Amino acid sequence: MILPSSRRVAWHSETRVDVKESVRGQDIFIIQTIPRDVNTAIMELLVMAYALKTNCAKNIIGVIPYFPYSKQCKMRKRGSIVCKLLASMLAKAGLTHIITMDLHQKEIQGFFSFPVDNLRASPFLLQYIQEEIPDYRNAIIVAKSPSAAKRAQSYAERLRLGLAVMHGEAQCSESDMADGRHSPPPMSSGRTTSGHPGLELPLMMAKEKPPITVVGDVGGRIAIIVDDIIDDVEDFVAAAEILKERGAYKIYIMATHGLLSAEAPRLIEESAIDEVVVTNTVPHEVQKLQCPKIKTVDVSMILAEAIRRIHNGESMAYLFRNITVDD
């Protein structure tokens, strides 16, 4: 049985699930896309999963094409790893399996105590490049930061195209963000900052990024920037301007999850970007009306096949043919 997670009723601004038929001993698939209100969507999913668990469902499988909070999968300053918290909450609520697509970091699968099928959107995006971009043989795949180089390299090798990598002061790699572990604790009265007598630890040199540089020749080429998530588009707009200055005559952005928050449609429309191609893992119909440059690739086929195979107890290997660690 497949249930959309929106089957709920509002009761004093709370979420209350009303299961209309027996689910005892059945496999239940909850399809939950993530709209603008992320926290409400998560709460709907948790309450519905717990209701199904209480009603003796055999297996509860969450179909979550874009997994929320996936960017918060590393320690930042004195914060927390929210993605791990969400994984624990889903397990406690009763989920026994998750189908998702292009997790921000593949290591997130280790946060879960139950199976996770992390499907890939790259075959659909590669097909779009081959069929919808004229003269794609004259293109070059671009990573807008060194952290995206592996994904870009995978696309370049499969399309037999060149690779360019951007780096410099305009880019902010996640690994460069301060995690707070270098900062000293608050000093109480009577304490000195010199530490233990006679102990001198080496001081880490501060990073100084060079001016933004493009490693690779993009002159006279179609530049295709690939990433997994496009949310705030300022970095993409800045990258497109640099690529234009370096001689690229067309610029495409390819991403799996098109969150496109805030002023993203307007910024894309006014930028040097020619086209933004995303999948339909996240609803973005309103953004498409605001910006005709945004195009959608349908990935529902692979999600439907994953549901069918899990329900019938078939192998999932077919959906991961020729998929490598870097894809």
Side-chain angles (χ1 to χ4, degrees):
M1 181 183 296
I2 299 177
L3 297 177
S5 64
S6 58
R7 283 191 62 184
R8 60 186 175 85
V9 293
W11 187 49
H12 298 300
S13 300
E14 297 178 357
T15 298
R16 180 169 63 91
V17 171
D18 187 10
V19 182
K20 297 294 187 179
E21 55 189 278
S22 174
V23 295
R24 182 180 294 272
Q26 296 191 42
D27 291 337
I28 308 296
F29 294 83
I30 306 175
I31 300 176
Q32 176 64 302
T33 54
I34 303 300
R36 300 296 104 185
D37 191 351
V38 177
N39 295 328
T40 298
I42 291 172
M43 199 63 201
E44 287 178 5
L45 179 61
L46 292 171
V47 173
M48 176 166 277
Y50 189 66
L52 294 168
K53 176 184 177 182
T54 306
N55 284 274
C56 301
K58 180 182 179 182
N59 292 304
I60 305 169
I61 300 97
V63 183
I64 314 171
Y66 167 65
F67 193 79
Y69 287 100
S70 60
K71 283 191 172 183
Q72 297 191 49
C73 60
K74 297 180 181 178
M75 195 68 178
R76 297 282 181 249
K77 295 188 178 179
R78 294 179 180 86
S80 61
I81 305 176
V82 182
C83 191
K84 188 178 191 310
L85 170 64
L86 181 55
S88 301
M89 291 168 65
L90 292 171
K92 188 68 176 178
L95 263 72
T96 58
H97 199 140
I98 278 182
I99 302 171
T100 187
M101 181 166 281
D102 280 342
L103 288 169
H104 186 55
Q105 298 287 343
K106 298 174 186 64
E107 292 79 6
I108 291 174
Q109 291 178 261
F111 292 163
F112 294 87
S113 57
F114 50 78
V116 176
D117 284 309
N118 182 28
L119 304 176
R120 304 296 197 274
S122 51
F124 296 90
L125 296 175
L126 289 167
Q127 183 181 33
Y128 184 94
I129 292 173
Q130 293 174 311
E131 295 179 356
E132 302 296 333
I133 298 181
D135 196 23
Y136 82 92
R137 290 292 182 187
N138 190 37
I140 185 168
I141 305 298
V142 180
K144 73 176 181 68
S145 64
S147 61
K150 280 189 176 181
R151 181 184 300 272
Q153 182 181 0
S154 174
Y155 275 71
E157 289 175 351
R158 294 181 187 282
L159 293 168
R160 277 66 172 175
L161 300 176
L163 174 67
V165 179
M166 304 180 71
H167 71 94
E169 61 185 8
Q171 306 300 325
C172 180
S173 172
E174 290 186 358
S175 60
D176 296 336
M177 296 174 66
D179 61 7
R181 287 176 289 185
H182 68 281
S183 58
M187 305 307 297
S188 60
S189 58
R191 292 181 62 185
T192 63
T193 58
S194 58
H196 189 276
L199 181 63
E200 293 185 6
L201 297 176
L203 181 65
M204 177 64 75
M205 297 175 63
K207 286 188 176 182
E208 183 177 343
K209 290 193 175 183
I212 192 164
T213 307
V214 180
V215 180
D217 183 16
V218 298
R221 301 284 192 90
I222 300 170
I224 303 175
I225 303 175
V226 297
D227 214 331
D228 62 329
I229 299 173
I230 177 167
D231 190 359
D232 298 322
V233 299
E234 285 85 354
D235 286 350
F236 291 94
V237 171
E241 292 176 356
I242 295 295
L243 293 171
K244 278 286 187 182
E245 292 174 3
R246 298 295 194 278
Y249 69 91
K250 269 195 175 181
I251 298 169
Y252 290 80
I253 310 291
M254 313 287 294
T256 303
H257 309 296
L259 305 185
L260 303 170
S261 302
E263 296 295 314
R266 180 183 61 82
L267 293 174
I268 293 171
E269 186 65 26
E270 297 172 356
S271 72
I273 299 170
D274 291 281
E275 198 168 280
V276 173
V277 182
V278 294
T279 72
N280 55 349
T281 55
V282 178
H284 53 266
E285 288 77 11
V286 174
Q287 290 87 339
K288 287 182 70 174
L289 293 174
Q290 297 171 343
C291 177
K293 291 183 179 180
I294 300 172
K295 308 296 181 184
T296 307
V297 174
D298 181 24
V299 293
S300 60
M301 183 189 305
I302 192 171
L303 292 168
E305 180 63 15
I307 291 172
R308 189 192 68 80
R309 285 176 174 271
I310 289 174
H311 179 62
N312 294 331
E314 300 177 19
S315 171
M316 297 287 283
Y318 178 78
L319 304 182
F320 294 94
R321 293 171 301 166
N322 300 323
I323 298 294
T324 65
V325 175
D326 295 333
D327 288 326

